[in-house]
Amino acid sequence: MQKQIVAALAREIASGRFAPLSTLPRESDLCGEFGVSRTVIREALKVLESKGLVRGRPRVGTFVRDRSEWHILDPDLVGWIGADVVDFEFLESLLEARKAIEPVVAELAAERSTAQDVADLDLHWQRMVAALPDDLPAFAEADVAFHTTLFRASRNPVFTQLSGVIHWAMKKLFETESAAATSHEEALSLHHAVIEALRLRDKKAARRAIDGVLAGAERDLRAARQQARIAKAGLDPRG
């Protein structure tokens, strides 16, 4: 029951029922609303606090924290709220982080990857090819697997752990980009160039290919945001 209460409160916070800096109902009121003991409510609030959604203050109550303080990369939080909590600002921040990290990851992978890593990358690339032109979700899933494998091939445990933490966010980013992409063929060519750079142990070529991938991602995300603005405004996308 506690898990359901945590999820319900998280959704109500995300929906705006409880606005940032507002105070949640008293524990006794929540007990009545959910039909559970005070102990269950307190444990549920502790879980929400550990995820950055709320903060308890003695003799004051529990208040909702600003959205910027939520642990948005936490998969539990995404499970409760849903991936729709992710907005374009977050996706652009994720892309900025990738631009700072992934070229280094590619260079390390060119130096340290195994034959199995390269084979796995090639398999994910083939899945990307097979998904086009009709199955963009499958294309995005294979794209995530490609980059997760690339992070692992760096043989840096921090990068490997990081790719696991942001896996769901990468998937949302790739789905958004894929839907707005002007040239999937270009993306396929650049991803294949990454594979070949790793085969040849060419660090510069690996960085160059990933820089191209990220430049295309930035362009596609910008296009997706523009399409979203047009749709929201009810305008004709053809101008």
Side-chain angles (χ1 to χ4, degrees):
M1 185 62 182
Q2 178 187 310
K3 291 182 179 180
Q4 289 90 329
I5 295 172
V6 171
L9 288 173
R11 285 192 292 269
E12 289 180 344
I13 290 171
S15 70
R17 177 189 171 190
F18 303 121
L21 304 182
S22 68
T23 304
L24 292 182
R26 295 175 302 177
E27 289 181 1
S28 57
D29 294 333
L30 291 174
C31 289
E33 180 177 345
F34 291 103
V36 295
S37 69
R38 191 181 293 265
T39 299
V40 174
I41 292 299
R42 285 177 177 172
E43 290 301 314
L45 293 176
K46 285 181 181 178
V47 174
L48 292 174
E49 186 164 9
S50 72
K51 307 299 184 182
L53 270 70
V54 302
R55 177 176 293 161
R57 286 181 176 171
R59 297 184 295 278
V60 174
T62 301
F63 71 94
V64 178
R65 300 176 70 176
D66 186 79
R67 190 185 186 99
S68 64
E69 299 179 292
W70 297 1
H71 300 175
I72 197 63
L73 291 177
D74 192 306
D76 287 337
L77 185 56
V78 178
W80 302 328
I81 298 175
D84 288 339
V85 72
V86 177
D87 54 20
F88 277 103
E89 284 75 16
F90 176 79
L91 294 179
E92 287 166 353
S93 296
L94 177 59
L95 183 56
E96 283 183 357
R98 288 184 62 206
K99 287 168 67 177
I101 294 170
E102 208 157 345
V104 177
V105 169
E107 287 188 341
L108 291 174
E111 184 178 28
R112 303 173 179 174
S113 61
T114 66
Q116 186 60 56
D117 292 327
V118 174
D120 289 342
L121 287 168
D122 189 61
L123 176 62
H124 300 316
W125 179 80
Q126 291 180 42
R127 287 173 53 210
M128 292 169 68
V129 173
L132 293 177
D134 300 319
D135 197 345
L136 292 183
F139 180 89
E141 186 67 46
D143 202 357
V144 173
F146 183 99
H147 289 272
T148 299
T149 300
L150 183 65
F151 272 70
R152 187 179 68 242
S154 74
R155 292 295 177 273
N156 181 302
V158 174
F159 288 152
T160 300
Q161 288 292 321
L162 179 62
S163 69
V165 169
I166 65 175
H167 181 276
W168 72 266
M170 292 270 279
K171 185 173 186 294
K172 182 68 175 179
L173 175 62
F174 290 171
E175 287 174 346
T176 304
E177 294 167 359
S178 295
T182 55
S183 176
H184 289 103
E185 290 72 20
E186 178 189 28
L188 288 174
S189 176
L190 288 166
H191 281 73
H192 194 265
V194 172
I195 298 172
E196 290 306 307
L198 266 59
R199 287 190 205 275
L200 298 173
R201 302 290 186 191
D202 190 334
K203 295 170 63 175
K204 289 184 179 179
R207 174 181 276 269
R208 188 163 55 246
I210 280 295
D211 282 341
V213 169
L214 294 170
E218 186 172 29
R219 179 196 62 223
D220 294 340
L221 186 58
R222 189 164 51 245
R225 183 160 196 166
Q226 179 63 19
Q227 290 174 11
R229 287 197 187 108
I230 290 172
K232 186 174 182 180
L235 302 175
D236 187 335
R238 295 166 296 184

